[in-house]
């Protein structure tokens, strides 16, 4: 052991002495340069992915889709033996990492550092500033997550995130701003020869293609990708909300117009079919991919598999989707929408000599959302059903109108049962009262009680009696009263001439025969025979 240690120390001393002598002569050590190249070659490239928006669950879903390689024919990794790194995204700024593997799932190409933030509140924005350094900016990609379960809130979410990112970029130091300028130039000229994956040939590299209208008007300095998750809910929007093709095309045209100003890419994904998500993200981070994984083809026809690569879109392509869309108006309005507000600047520590009045946020709506703004135009067409239902309910309470809300059948029957029970209790109480009065008055008042009860029954329950005589409605009570009055008037005449019935008959007979005799005698005396 002592001999071995002395041999190692002697070799170390000799190598150090030879290295100093060689360095002094200005010669280059071939072995040292080779060792440095090998060590630097084994060092994994580090890439940073900043994931904004979504929920903790949707962020985990995005990470799972990102780790899925659709071109790989090998079986997926056994997560029981090689589990995924833990994901901490429940509180404020989350973090995790992923290793980018080659097509054979054997060699590691790069390591992704993933930073996750769900809330666009300005109070969380200072957590992102330490991530933006001159070393990390060229190797960073920003991903904004949106969800098809709430497409009416997309533009407002984009507005809040863009304001936050622009405020962060303004607050960086001069060294970072120089890196950002170089990054903008590199990204803007990349892939403008028509190659989807951003790789140019030698012949096309010297050709400078001018920018079109609305392209790269508002660059961030960091590549941006917008991922619209859960595209399988498009069918439910069509079936339950009554969406037509015009609305889906309007959403796509609006998103493409807005993202064109930042040189961003757009992709629709679903959990069962991530599509080209992995290829899009890795190509934006300059990760070397195999030829099979480099293919990235645009798609604006299939409404649930949309893919718009960076530096591919233009105003002309957006207008082709559906006529009547105001591309220029939306582009100008969006430039006004993403200006940082006073509240965001104060939270970021950005001060300026001429600041406007503070903008007060209330329920996610700030005072800049005017009638002609980009957000207002989008939300007027893609309306929030929850907001419309609450607004309609408030209007109904304020102005009832002629609408009548029907009562539930069971509730209506329960109320009717209560009323019938109360009527029956009243009838029973009244019946007991009559029986008590009858028992107190005795048998002498039995007849009067029956008359009273019968009279009450006729007048109170049956009502007046009518009958028809020759097509004329006659009231029985009126006729009975008229007969009673006539009988009352004839009664005094009968009392004034009291005669027996027999005497009255004899007088009538005598007067009758006397009349006959007068007629007979008159006719005989006047005859021509006499």
């Amino acid at each position: 052991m002592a001999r071995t240690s002395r041999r190692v120390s002697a070799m170390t001393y000799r190598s150090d002495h030879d290295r100093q002598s060689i360095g002094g002569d200005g010669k280059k050590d071939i072995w040292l340069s080779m060792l440095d190249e090998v060590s630097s070659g084994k060092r994994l490239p580090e890439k940073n992915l900043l994931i904004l928006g979504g929920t903790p669950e949707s962020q985990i879903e995005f990470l799972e889709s990102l780790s899925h390689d659709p071109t790989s024919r090998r079986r997926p990794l056994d997560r029981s033996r090689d589990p995924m790194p833990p994901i901490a995204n429940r509180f404020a700024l989350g973090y995790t990492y992923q290793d980018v593997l080659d097509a054979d799932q054997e060699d590691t190409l790069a390591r992704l550092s993933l930073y996750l933030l769900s809330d666009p509140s300005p109070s969380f924005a200072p957590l992102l500033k330490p991530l933006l350094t001159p070393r990390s900016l060229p190797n960073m990609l920003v991903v904004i997550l949106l969800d098809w379960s709430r497409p009416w809130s997309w533009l407002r979410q984009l507005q809040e995130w863009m304001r936050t990112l622009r405020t962060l970029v303004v607050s960086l130091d001069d060294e970072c701003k120089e890196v950002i300028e170089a990054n903008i130039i590199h990204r803007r000229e990349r892939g403008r020869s028509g190659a989807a994956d951003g790789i140019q040939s030698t012949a096309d590299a010297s050709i400078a293609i001018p920018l079109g209208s609305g392209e790269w008007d508002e660059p961030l300095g960091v590549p941006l990708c917008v991922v619209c998750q859960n595209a399988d809910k498009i069918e439910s929007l069509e079936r339950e909300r009554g969406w037509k093709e015009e609305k889906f095309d309007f959403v796509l045209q609006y998103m493409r117009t807005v993202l064109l100003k930042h040189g961003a890419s757009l992709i629709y994904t679903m959990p069962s079919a991530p599509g080209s998500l992995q290829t899009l993200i890795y190509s934006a981070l300059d990760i070397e991919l195999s030829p099979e994984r480099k293919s990235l083809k645009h798609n604006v026809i299939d409404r649930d598999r949309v893919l718009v690569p960076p530096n591919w879109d233009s105003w002309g392509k957006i207008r082709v989707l559906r006529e009547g869309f105001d591309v220029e108006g939306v582009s100008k309005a969006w430039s006004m929408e993403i200006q940082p507000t006073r509240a965001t600047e104060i939270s970021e520590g950005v001060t300026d000599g001429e600041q406007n009045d503070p903008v007060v946020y209330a329920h996610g709506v700030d005072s800049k959302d005017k009638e002609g703004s980009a957000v207002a135009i989008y939300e007027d067409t893609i309306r929030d059903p929850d907001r419309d239902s609450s607004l309609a309910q408030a209007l109904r309470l304020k102005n009832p109108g002629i609408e009548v809300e029907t009562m539930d059948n069971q509730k209506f029957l329960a109320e009717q049962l209560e009323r019938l029970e109360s009527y029956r209790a009243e009838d029973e109480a009244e019946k007991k009262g009559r029986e008590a009065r009858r028992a107190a008055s005795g048998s002498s008042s039995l007849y009067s009680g029956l008359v009273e009860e019968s009279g009450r029954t006729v007048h109170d329950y049956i009502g007046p009696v009518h009958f028809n005589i020759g097509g004329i409605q006659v009231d029985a009570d009126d006729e009975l009263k008229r007969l009673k009055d006539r009988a009352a008037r004839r009664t005094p005449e009968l009392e004034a001439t009291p005669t027996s019935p027999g005497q009255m008959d004899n007088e009538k007979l005598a007067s009758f025969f006397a009349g006959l005799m007068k007629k007979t005698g008159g006719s005989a005396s006047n005859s021509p025979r006499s």
Side-chain angles (χ1 to χ4, degrees), residues 185-206:
I185 296 174
H186 170 67
R187 297 285 177 177
R188 186 169 54 196
E189 301 299 330
R190 178 182 177 182
R192 300 195 60 80
S193 62
D197 57 351
I199 299 177
Q200 294 180 344
S201 63
T202 307
D204 295 334
S206 60

Side-chain angles (χ1 to χ4, degrees), residues 27-71:
K27 296 181 180 180
K28 188 175 181 181
D29 192 344
I30 299 176
W31 292 104
L32 287 178
S33 61
M34 292 178 62
L35 290 175
D36 291 339
E37 290 179 0
V38 171
S39 61
S40 61
K42 290 184 177 180
R43 189 181 303 123
L44 292 176
E46 297 180 359
K47 305 294 181 178
N48 301 310
L49 195 61
L50 183 58
I51 304 171
L52 306 177
T55 61
E57 292 76 14
S58 62
Q59 291 175 353
I60 295 175
E61 178 184 319
F62 169 77
L63 296 179
E64 293 177 352
S65 301
L66 183 61
S67 62
H68 173 69
D69 182 12
T71 62

Side-chain angles (χ1 to χ4, degrees), residues 425-463:
E426 293 177 0
D427 293 342
E428 291 179 356
E430 187 177 356
K431 183 177 180 181
K432 290 180 180 179
R434 287 198 301 268
E435 291 177 355
R437 289 194 299 271
R438 190 182 304 117
S441 59
S443 60
S444 58
S445 60
L446 179 60
Y447 178 75
S448 60
L450 292 175
V451 172
E452 179 184 358
E453 183 177 359
S454 62
R456 182 179 182 278
T457 302
V458 171
H459 290 288
D460 293 344
Y461 295 100
I462 299 179

Side-chain angles (χ1 to χ4, degrees), residues 388-426:
D388 289 346
S389 60
S390 61
L391 181 60
Q393 184 177 2
L395 291 176
R396 282 198 303 268
L397 294 176
K398 186 177 181 180
N399 300 318
I402 62 175
E403 293 85 0
V404 178
E405 293 185 0
T406 59
M407 187 183 300
D408 184 64
N409 294 335
Q410 297 299 325
K411 186 177 180 181
F412 172 77
L413 294 175
E415 291 184 359
Q416 296 301 319
L417 180 60
E418 292 179 358
R419 291 184 181 181
L420 293 176
E421 292 293 340
S422 63
Y423 292 156
R424 186 174 66 178
E426 293 177 0

Side-chain angles (χ1 to χ4, degrees), residues 213 256 260 313-321 327:
S213 301
R256 289 170 62 183
L260 183 63
D313 215 349
S314 64
W315 280 7
K317 297 175 181 177
I318 295 173
R319 289 192 179 102
V320 167
L321 185 62
V327 185

Side-chain angles (χ1 to χ4, degrees), residues 1-20:
M1 290 294 295
R3 185 178 301 175
T4 305
S5 61
R6 284 196 300 269
R7 184 181 304 172
V8 171
S9 60
M11 292 177 61
T12 305
Y13 171 78
R14 188 176 302 171
S15 62
D16 293 341
H17 179 71
D18 295 340
R19 189 178 304 171
Q20 292 177 2

Side-chain angles (χ1 to χ4, degrees), residues 232-372:
D232 51 342
K233 294 184 179 179
I234 290 178
E235 295 183 359
S236 63
L237 289 173
E238 185 177 15
R239 183 175 59 255
E240 299 174 5
R241 304 290 184 184
W243 279 37
K244 304 296 182 182
E245 288 293 337
E246 291 80 4
K247 276 196 174 183
F248 293 110
D249 292 343
F250 178 83
V251 171
L252 181 56
Q253 286 179 311
Y254 222 100
M255 296 294 295
R256 289 170 62 183
T257 304
V258 166
L259 297 180
L260 183 63
K261 299 181 69 65
H262 309 290
S265 56
L266 175 67
I267 185 171
Y268 291 0
T269 65
M270 59 184 74
S272 59
S276 302
L277 175 64
Q278 187 186 78
T279 306
L280 179 64
I281 298 298
Y282 287 174
S283 62
L285 289 171
D286 295 332
I287 297 177
E288 295 294 336
L289 301 174
S290 60
E292 296 83 5
R293 301 168 69 182
K294 280 186 179 181
S295 59
L296 192 62
K297 184 174 179 58
H298 63 274
N299 185 0
V300 293
I301 303 301
D302 301 331
R303 64 183 184 182
D304 57 346
R305 299 178 183 273
V306 170
L307 173 59
V308 181
N311 293 331
W312 174 85
D313 215 349
S314 64
W315 280 7
K317 297 175 181 177
I318 295 173
R319 289 192 179 102
V320 167
L321 185 62
R322 187 171 294 274
E323 297 181 356
F325 183 75
D326 187 9
V327 185
E328 185 176 0
V330 171
S331 181
K332 290 181 179 179
W334 181 250
S335 297
M336 301 297 295
E337 289 289 325
I338 60 177
Q339 298 301 324
T341 60
R342 174 64 172 166
T344 310
E345 291 174 352
I346 293 175
S347 65
E348 294 293 329
V350 180
T351 57
D352 195 356
E354 297 179 357
Q355 292 290 352
N356 298 326
D357 293 336
V359 177
V360 180
Y361 285 86
H363 304 290
V365 180
D366 83 50
S367 61
K368 284 190 176 182
D369 294 332
K370 299 179 181 179
E371 185 175 351

